[in-house]
């Protein structure tokens, strides 16, 4: 069993040490379900990409902006938000850690 608080701290430390400002860890993979911890330093972005069939984002630390054509959403720590069914991106407004839950077909 993984402790999300421990993983968040470990990957935030790794992201701060990384030239790319990010670190990720696959927490759970039970096809079609995947859960990934992603840490991003302030100002670091995940470029626009396609959405899986179903997904959500839980902000564990910091805050992020989920960007999409249908509108952006600023998500503070503790917020659970669905990922829109369209191309989207993610920007860390401050050092942040999120839990991405995705269902892939």
């Amino acid at each position: 069993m993984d402790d999300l608080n421990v993983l968040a701290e470990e990957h935030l430390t790794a992201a701060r040490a990384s030239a790319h400002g990010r670190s990720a860890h696959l927490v759970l993979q039970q096809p079609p379900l995947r859960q990934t911890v992603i840490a991003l330093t302030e100002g670091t972005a995940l470029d626009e990409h396609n959405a899986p069939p179903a997904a959500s984002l839980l902000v564990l630390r910091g805050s992020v902006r989920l960007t999409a054509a249908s509108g952006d959403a600023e998500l503070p720590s503790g917020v659970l938000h669905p990922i829109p069914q369209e191309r989207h991106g993610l920007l860390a407004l401050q050092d942040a850690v999120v839990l991405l839950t995705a269902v892939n077909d």
Side-chain angles (χ1 to χ4, degrees):
M1 180 178 294
D2 291 302
D3 183 324
L4 291 179
N5 288 316
V6 170
L7 284 173
E9 197 57 42
E10 287 175 0
H11 286 279
L12 195 49
T13 298
R16 289 174 177 148
S18 168
H20 300 291
R22 60 184 177 228
S23 179
H25 173 74
L26 181 62
V27 177
L28 177 70
Q29 183 170 0
Q30 293 180 337
L33 178 70
R34 290 174 54 106
Q35 290 188 302
T36 306
V37 167
I38 303 169
L40 303 167
T41 57
E42 182 176 350
T44 300
L46 296 179
D47 293 334
E48 188 176 278
H49 53 280
N50 292 327
S56 67
L57 202 61
L58 172 62
V59 182
L60 300 173
R61 304 261 172 95
S63 63
V64 296
R65 178 180 299 129
L66 182 63
T67 59
S70 60
D72 296 352
E74 291 194 9
L75 310 173
S77 182
V79 168
L80 176 64
H81 191 76
I83 304 269
Q85 292 297 299
E86 61 186 325
R87 290 184 61 77
H88 62 279
L90 190 67
L91 171 67
L93 301 175
Q94 54 187 222
D95 288 358
V97 182
V98 299
L99 178 65
L100 170 65
T101 300
V103 174
N104 298 298
D105 47 4

